Each structure stands twice: as structure tokens, then as C-alpha cells.
């Protein structure tokens, strides 16, 4: 390097050639720093947007579960307030009637998941209670100071969250005034506790809590946060709450959540300190709880997702910029070498002209050597250009091979099915049909697992790898493919006539990958018949000696002859929004397990024939 610099100075190299590398170094550094900063900002923004979308979905599910828990006990006070046994016991205060009422309330608690049921007189003193046998029975206690008693007596009904004055356990008190023709007799109260709900929330390992209109935390997955506040309360409001004994002697201190950075009306970035951990960054999402004045707040940790997204974005930026800068450096170096060579040639010519008379022989030899060197340089340059072109072409083909769009093509059907199940689950929850909703959520979980398996299979396909073959029940694979298509082709699957094979008929392959093949073939057939009134798709299975043959036939217009010859080539499609990857992937999947796909097409329709190796379960 020192010899080269000395040579450049002695050969009168132009100034721009000597300053090229410092300028290039500064420019490349500035470009890389700017790109990494922009990539980091983009990665963080995209990660936060994804977390907001997922967090809202999770928060809505938690709100739906909370509503389901709330709705169960709300009917009890209404029914009991009109129950003749309750009205009679309050009116007569007869010992036998009160004893019978105690036993009735005790039996109702066991079947309703309520914490306690009790009835007070108009003076607020408990007359009967479901816990009348326990040492801390409510019977005889005065609850006239309680807000739920006062509001029920005034308005007929009330809901109030508070700390139990006897049990010292928090819960929601739902009250209803009992009355007869003579007027108000007392109040029926049901207390609902949320221990099971809070336990379910804790299993998710993400902080979630519910606040009332004053911002006081009522229900929470972190017990130490109970009866803290989302924001500092005014002194007068704080004093009124403490005087009411709604939350006992709780200090009502603010939550350890600081430095909020609003993103929208219901989302912000905050710093929080969870019990047993140091301060971390979280996405806080706010969701109102219908039919109440409560609000559910959900904290989602951002650091892992943001760090991963920033890292990926910066690696991608480097993967793009480094080759470009390397190419520019190569071109600059080449130009510099040409400039140095031209300067050398000029210096040599001047030296040779000055000494031509006294060193003719040496000059001739030097000229020959120079010409030979020039020829070698030109030959090397030509070879480098050829190698460079070959590398560019190889790189282009490698990028083309990474058909990432195939992932979206392959999981479109499961995603549509998940959407349908989610909509149904929402309706079931609104109708308080928890069992049906849980069944739909189970289906969603199974489909998400299936999407993960499809993604892994597509990655294996992108690597030209093979999934180990296994025996697959063909009937189950066909039925699974129809399930995934049901949401997209709702109302049209009646044209799909399937002659299902008998149970136990197995082929060699992989369940998910074979379903991909069947989905592609069924979908192509159904889409080819969109505008036909006499549309029909027939699926049949034939058993040969060593093979199983699946035929998918439609009565559509057939395949255009112009694309038939390249039907199994990538990106060859006749659909306006098609990617041209379905048949390519299907052919490779079948070939991976020793099978093949053939096609017959004419004016009366198209038949795809899939040959698979027979296997034993």
C-alpha cells in the first residue's frame, strides 16, 4: 500500500484519484448510519403496529370473558326480589320463614358460582344469608352504610364493587329492592368474586387489570396492584372514597406506570415495574367493558418484539446496502487502477522519448513488456466481466427461487376459516353460549397450529427439502381440505360431489402437504365454475395394485391451450389475482413422495389425476 501511494505521487496521478477513497469512506459511513437509523425506526413502528393489532384482539377476548362472568349472577337479585318466599320472610320476620330462606340461599349459591347471597331489611340489617352456618355469617350485620344498599333502596337496583366489610374479600355487589303492596321491604344482594378469572389472566403472563370510573384497579392479574389507581386522585375524591370504606384501608396509591407516550386514544407506550422485575417498556391498550363504567387495561411487553423487528430491519438494510457499496468500491477501484495505469503509460512514454537515442534497445524491450502487460490486463478485465455477469445472473435466479408469496397463497384458506370461527365465537359470547364459543376457539387454535405446520412445510419446500414420508389416512386428508375451503366457498360446496374412500385407506406422504394439493385442485375447479349454473365437481378415488388414484373433474370450459404446455411452470396463471404457484407446489409435493400429477382438458371440462403410493396404517 505504501509503495502504491509513493508510485501514485511520482506518476502525477490526478488529485481526484487520490481523494476518492476518503470521500467514499465518509459517504458510505453516512449512508450506512442513515439507513440503520431509518431501518430501526421502521422496524419499531411495524412491530408496535403488529403488537397493537394482536393486543386489541387479546383484550377483546378478555373483555368478552369478563362480560360472560358478569352476566351469570345479574339475574339472581331480580328473581329473588320477586320470590314470594323472600317477600314473605321480609314481611313477617317469622323464624321458620327466615330459616327456610337461609337454606334456600345456601342452595342457590352452590349452583350459581356466586360468592354469597343475602337479604337485608329496609334498615340495612341482614335477615338471611347463604353463609348463615359460617362463623363470619352476614346475618345480623348492618349494611345500611353500603352504597349498593342505599342506591337499591332509592333506585330499585345497583351494582357496586367494594371490599367486604366482614369477609375482607373484594367483589361486585349486585342488589335489587324487594317490595310488596305496602312498599319497600329490603334488598336482595349477590356478591360475585373474580378469583378464577384473575387466575386465568395470570396464566397468560401479561398484566391485565380493570379500573372503575375513578381509575381504581378492581380486578387484576397482579394481586399487589389491587386498589391502586391508574392516576393520582384529587384529595377531595380520595377522601370521599376512603370515608365510604368502599376499599377498606387500601392506600389507593398510583400504579408503577410512568412516562406514557400516546399512540392513539386507546393505545400508548408506557414504562412499568412489575413485581419482582426491573422497569420495562410496555404497550398499554384501553378497552371499555360494555354494560359497566369499567375499563380494561392490557399491558403487552414491547422490548422482545421491537428488538427483533429492529434487528431484522437493520440486517435487511445491510444485506441490501453492503453489496451495493461493495460494487461501487469495486468500480471506484477499477477506475483508479485505470487512471494509475494511464499515468504510468504517460510517464513511461516521456521517459522513453528522452532516452530514445541512448537506450533504443532498452526502450524496445520496455515497450514490448508494456504491450504484453496491457494485453494481460485486458484479458483479465474481460474474464472479470464474464464472471461478474454470471454472478449477477445466479443471484437473480436465487432471489427468484425464494417464492415468498407462496406462503400467503397456501394459508389463505385457514385464515378465512379462522375469521369465520372468530365471528361465530363473538356471536356465541354475546348470547352467553360459552360452550359453543369455546368449541369455536378450539377450532381456531387447531387452525393456527395448522397454519404453523403449513408455513414450516413451505419453508421446507423453499429449501428443496423433503418431509419424511408417513402413512396418511386419505379420507381424513380429503375431509380436512373441504373444511378449509368451507368459509371461502360458503353456499357453493354443494357442487362438490366427493366419493369418499373407505376409512383406513392410506397413502405415503404428509397430511398437511397432501391437504395443500387437494385444496389447490378443489379451489381451481370451483373457481373455474363461478359463472355456470350447471356447475359440478366430481372427486373419486380408485385403488390400484401399488397406487391410489384421485381424480378431480369439473365441467368447466377447460384449460386455454396457450398455457396448457406450461401449466406446471412458476407464475403461469390465467387468474387475474393468481400467483401461478399452486400447481407448481402441488406437483413438487406429490413428486416428493413418489407420485405424479396428470391433466386432461377439453371443451367439456378438465380432470386432474393424482397418483400416490399406497401405504399401510
Amino acid at each position: 500500500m505504501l509503495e502504491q501511494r509513493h508510485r501514485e505521487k511520482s506518476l502525477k496521478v490526478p488529485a481526484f484519484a487520490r481523494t476518492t477513497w476518503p470521500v467514499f469512506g465518509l459517504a458510505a459511513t453516512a449512508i450506512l448510519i442513515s439507513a440503520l437509523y431509518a431501518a430501526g425506526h421502521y422496524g419499531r413502528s411495524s412491530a408496535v403496529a403488529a403488537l397493537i393489532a394482536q393486543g386489541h384482539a387479546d383484550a377483546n377476548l378478555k373483555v368478552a370473558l369478563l362480560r360472560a362472568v358478569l352476566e351469570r349472577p345479574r339475574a339472581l337479585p331480580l328473581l329473588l326480589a320477586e320470590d314470594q318466599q323472600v317477600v314473605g320472610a321480609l314481611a313477617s320476620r317469622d323464624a321458620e320463614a327466615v330459616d327456610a330462606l337461609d337454606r334456600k340461599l345456601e342452595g342457590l349459591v352452590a349452583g350459581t358460582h356466586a360468592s354469597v347471597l343475602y337479604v337485608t331489611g329496609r334498615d340495612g340489617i341482614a335477615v338471611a344469608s347463604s353463609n348463615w352456618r359460617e362463623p363470619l355469617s352476614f346475618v345480623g350485620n348492618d349494611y345500611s352504610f353500603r352504597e349498593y344498599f342505599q342506591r337499591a333502596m332509592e333506585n330499585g337496583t345497583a351494582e357496586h364493587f367494594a371490599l367486604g366489610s366482614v369477609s375482607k374479600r373484594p367483589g361486585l355487589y349486585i342488589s335489587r329492592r324487594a317490595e310488596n303492596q305496602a312498599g319497600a321491604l329490603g334488598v336482595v344482594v349477590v356478591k360475585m368474586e373474580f378469583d378464577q378469572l384473575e387466575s386465568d389472566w395470570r396464566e397468560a403472563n401479561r398484566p391485565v387489570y380493570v379500573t372503575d370510573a375513578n381509575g381504581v384497579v378492581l380486578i387484576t392479574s397482579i394481586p399487589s396492584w389491587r386498589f391502586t389507581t391508574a392516576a393520582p386522585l384529587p384529595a377531595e375524591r380520595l377522601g370521599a372514597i376512603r370515608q365510604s370504606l368502599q376499599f377498606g384501608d387500601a392506600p389507593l396509591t398510583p400504579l408503577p406506570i410512568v412516562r406514557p407516550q400516546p399512540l392513539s386514544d386507546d393505545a400508548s407506550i408506557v414504562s412499568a415495574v412489575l413485581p419482582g422485575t426491573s422497569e420495562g417498556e410496555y404497550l398499554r391498550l384501553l378497552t371499555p367493558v360494555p354494560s359497566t363504567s369499567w375499563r380494561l387495561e392490557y399491558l403487552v411487553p414491547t422490548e422482545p418484539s421491537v428488538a427483533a423487528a429492529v434487528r431484522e430491519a437493520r440486517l435487511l438494510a445491510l444485506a441490501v446496502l453492503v453489496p451495493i457499496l461493495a460494487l461501487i468500491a469495486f468500480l471506484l477501484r477499477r477506475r483508479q487502477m485505470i487512471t494509475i495505469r494511464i499515468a504510468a503509460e504517460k510517464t513511461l512514454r516521456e521517459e522513453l522519448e528522452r532516452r530514445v537515442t541512448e537506450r533504443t534497445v532498452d526502450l524496445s524491450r520496455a515497450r514490448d513488456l508494456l504491450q504484453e502487460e496491457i494485453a494481460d490486463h485486458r484479458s483479465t478485465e474481460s474474464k472479470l466481466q464474464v464472471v461478474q455477469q454470471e454472478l449477477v445472473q445466479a443471484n437473480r435466479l436465487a432471489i427468484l427461487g425464494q417464492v415468498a408469496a407462496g406462503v400467503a397463497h397456501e394459508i389463505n384458506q385457514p385464515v378465512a376459516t379462522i375469521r369465520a370461527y372468530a365471528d361465530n365465537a363473538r356471536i356465541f359470547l354475546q348470547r352467553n353460549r360459552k360452550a359453543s364459543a369455546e368449541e369455536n376457539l378450539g377450532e381456531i387454535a387447531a387452525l393456527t397450529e395448522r397454519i404453523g405446520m403449513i408455513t414450516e412445510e413451505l419453508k421446507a419446500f423453499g429449501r428443496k427439502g423433503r418431509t419424511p414420508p408417513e402413512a396418511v389416512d386419505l379420507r381424513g386428508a380429503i375431509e380436512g381440505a373441504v373444511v378449509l375451503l368451507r368459509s371461502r366457498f360458503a353456499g357453493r360446496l354443494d357442487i362438490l360431489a366427493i366419493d369418499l374412500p373407505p376409512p383406513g385407506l392410506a397413502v405415503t406422504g404428509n397430511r398437511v402437504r397432501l391437504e395443500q394439493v387437494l385444496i389447490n385442485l378443489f379451489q381451481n375447479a370451483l373457481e373455474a365454475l363461478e359463472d355456470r349454473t350447471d356447475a359440478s365437481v366430481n372427486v373419486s378415488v380408485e385403488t390400484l395394485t401399488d397406487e391410489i388414484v384421485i381424480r378431480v373433474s369439473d365441467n368447466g370450459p377447460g384449460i386455454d391451450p396457450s398455457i396448457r404446455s406450461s401449466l406446471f411452470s412458476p407464475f403461469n396463471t390465467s387468474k387475474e389475482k393468481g400467483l401461478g404457484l399452486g400447481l407448481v407446489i402441488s406437483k413438487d409435493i406429490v413428486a416428493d413422495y413418489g407420485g405424479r400429477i396428470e391433466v386432461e382438458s377439453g371443451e367439456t371440462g378438465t380432470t386432474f389425476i393424482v397418483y400416490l403410493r399406497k401405504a399401510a396404517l
Side-chain angles (χ1 to χ4, degrees):
M1 182 64 71
L2 293 175
E3 289 183 9
Q4 182 179 341
R5 292 181 178 176
H6 179 71
R7 185 183 175 192
E8 290 175 2
K9 292 180 180 179
S10 63
L11 292 179
K12 301 179 181 179
V13 178
F16 75 89
R18 292 194 297 269
T19 59
T20 297
W21 291 113
V23 173
F24 173 77
L26 291 175
T29 302
I31 291 172
L32 285 173
I33 292 175
S34 300
L36 291 175
Y37 175 82
H41 183 271
Y42 171 79
R44 177 179 176 83
S45 299
S46 60
V48 170
L51 287 175
I52 289 175
Q54 181 61 45
H56 275 308
D58 293 344
N60 289 335
L61 288 176
K62 294 182 186 300
V63 168
L65 181 59
L66 175 59
R67 288 193 64 192
V69 172
L70 287 173
E71 291 302 325
R72 284 196 302 240
R74 280 179 167 167
L76 279 176
L78 174 63
L79 296 175
L80 289 175
E82 298 178 358
D83 186 86
Q84 292 303 313
Q85 187 174 353
V86 174
V87 173
L90 286 174
S92 67
R93 299 294 180 95
D94 180 72
E96 292 184 1
V98 171
D99 182 67
L101 181 56
D102 281 332
R103 299 178 186 277
K104 180 175 184 176
L105 295 179
E106 183 180 33
L108 286 175
V109 164
T112 59
H113 302 289
S115 174
V116 64
L117 274 167
Y118 57 100
V119 177
T120 72
R122 64 169 63 91
D123 56 359
I125 296 177
V127 176
S129 174
S130 61
N131 63 358
W132 63 282
R133 299 177 187 270
E134 299 175 8
L136 295 178
S137 170
F138 289 4
V139 175
N141 290 329
D142 186 359
Y143 295 101
S144 60
F145 69 95
R146 284 295 199 181
E147 185 176 342
Y148 59 81
F149 171 80
Q150 298 171 1
R151 286 166 51 195
M153 289 295 291
E154 294 176 2
N155 304 322
T157 184
E159 291 186 6
H160 184 62
F161 195 101
L163 186 69
S165 60
V166 175
S167 66
K168 302 302 180 182
R169 294 177 56 83
L172 177 65
Y173 293 84
I174 304 173
S175 57
R176 182 82 180 187
R177 184 176 62 205
E179 55 191 4
N180 59 9
Q181 296 83 354
L185 298 173
V187 174
V188 178
V189 184
V190 59
K191 181 182 180 183
M192 187 66 186
E193 296 181 359
F194 300 89
D195 294 347
Q196 184 60 47
L197 178 66
E198 292 177 335
S199 176
D200 294 340
W201 284 354
R202 278 194 292 274
E203 292 179 359
N205 292 324
R206 288 188 174 180
V208 57
Y209 52 93
V210 175
T211 61
D212 63 8
N214 293 315
V216 178
V217 176
L218 305 178
I219 308 168
T220 173
S221 62
I222 302 178
S224 61
W225 284 11
R226 193 187 316 280
F227 299 153
T228 56
T229 61
L233 294 177
E236 61 274 16
R237 186 57 187 160
L238 184 62
I241 294 175
R242 286 178 174 167
Q243 185 176 3
S244 70
L245 299 180
Q246 179 181 0
F247 304 118
D249 57 354
L252 300 176
T253 56
L255 283 167
I257 298 175
V258 296
R259 296 189 296 277
Q261 303 173 29
L263 301 177
S264 62
D265 292 339
D266 57 359
S268 61
I269 297 293
V270 298
S271 294
V273 180
L274 272 59
T277 65
S278 58
E279 183 175 313
E281 183 181 90
Y282 293 84
L283 171 67
R284 181 173 63 182
L285 300 173
L286 310 178
T287 303
V289 180
S291 75
T292 72
S293 61
W294 298 351
R295 182 174 69 181
L296 183 138
E297 301 191 14
Y298 185 41
L299 299 183
V300 181
T302 63
E303 293 174 353
S305 299
V306 169
V310 169
R311 182 172 58 254
E312 291 176 3
R314 286 177 174 172
L315 287 176
L316 180 60
L318 289 175
V320 173
L321 285 177
V322 168
I324 294 175
L325 293 175
L327 178 61
I328 294 173
F330 170 78
L331 295 176
L332 287 175
R333 179 60 180 167
R334 180 181 169 190
R335 181 183 179 188
Q336 189 179 45
M337 292 300 294
I338 292 174
T339 302
I340 293 173
R341 189 180 65 202
I342 292 173
E345 291 174 355
K346 182 178 180 181
T347 301
L348 288 174
R349 282 198 305 269
E350 293 174 353
E351 183 67 18
L352 288 172
E353 289 174 358
R354 185 179 65 83
R355 302 176 57 184
V356 65
T357 56
E358 58 186 59
R359 298 187 61 182
T360 303
V361 176
D362 293 338
L363 179 60
S364 298
R365 186 180 296 116
R367 182 189 61 193
D368 295 338
L369 292 174
L370 179 61
Q371 290 176 348
E372 183 179 355
E373 182 182 354
I374 292 173
D376 290 341
H377 279 300
R378 289 177 178 172
S379 176
T380 302
E381 181 181 338
S382 299
K383 291 179 181 179
L384 286 175
Q385 290 178 349
V386 172
V387 171
Q388 180 186 2
Q389 291 173 359
E390 291 177 353
L391 288 175
V392 171
Q393 180 65 13
N395 182 269
R396 184 180 300 126
L397 293 176
I399 294 174
L400 183 61
Q402 299 168 0
V403 284
V407 173
H409 179 86
E410 291 304 325
I411 67 174
N412 185 48
Q413 293 85 10
V415 169
T417 306
I418 288 174
R419 176 60 184 272
Y421 278 131
D423 290 340
N424 290 341
R426 184 186 300 111
I427 294 174
F428 287 143
L429 289 174
Q430 291 173 353
R431 297 177 180 177
N432 202 22
R433 293 174 59 185
K434 182 179 179 182
S436 299
E438 289 178 348
E439 180 180 351
N440 277 20
L441 293 176
E443 294 292 343
I444 290 173
L447 286 172
T448 55
E449 181 179 0
R450 185 176 301 277
I451 290 175
M453 294 175 66
I454 290 174
T455 305
E456 290 301 320
E457 290 298 334
L458 288 176
K459 288 181 180 178
F461 169 75
R463 295 191 295 268
K464 292 296 180 184
R466 293 185 58 179
T467 302
E470 58 186 9
V472 179
D473 179 28
L474 183 57
R475 183 187 185 103
I478 294 175
E479 291 174 341
V482 173
V483 169
L484 292 176
L485 287 172
R486 184 171 294 131
S487 63
R488 179 174 178 185
F489 295 96
R492 295 187 56 216
L493 286 183
D494 56 339
I495 70 174
L496 187 63
I498 302 177
D499 185 11
L500 288 172
L505 183 61
V507 295
T508 298
N510 173 270
R511 167 74 181 256
V512 174
R513 300 190 81 190
L514 290 181
E515 284 185 1
Q516 292 174 231
V517 174
L518 294 171
I519 288 170
N520 280 324
L521 297 181
F522 293 172
Q523 179 176 278
N524 289 344
L526 292 169
E527 290 177 347
L529 302 174
E530 286 184 349
D531 300 324
R532 296 182 69 95
T533 58
D534 60 339
S536 70
V537 178
N538 295 307
V539 181
S540 62
V541 178
E542 179 182 359
T543 304
L544 302 180
T545 303
D546 298 318
E547 292 182 316
I548 303 296
V549 182
I550 305 172
R551 288 183 170 85
V552 181
S553 304
D554 64 68
N555 62 343
I559 300 174
D560 191 339
S562 63
I563 66 172
R564 191 180 305 168
S565 60
S566 56
L567 191 61
F568 294 96
S569 299
F571 310 111
N572 179 41
T573 180
S574 59
K575 304 175 186 177
E576 181 179 352
K577 297 183 179 179
L579 296 174
L581 296 174
L583 291 178
V584 179
I585 293 174
S586 298
K587 181 180 178 182
D588 282 358
I589 290 174
V590 172
D592 277 349
Y593 301 111
R596 64 188 186 279
I597 296 181
E598 297 178 356
V599 60
E600 298 174 357
S601 183
E603 296 180 355
T604 59
T606 300
T607 299
F608 281 88
I609 308 169
V610 182
Y611 294 87
L612 298 171
R613 292 168 57 189
K614 187 184 294 184
L617 286 175

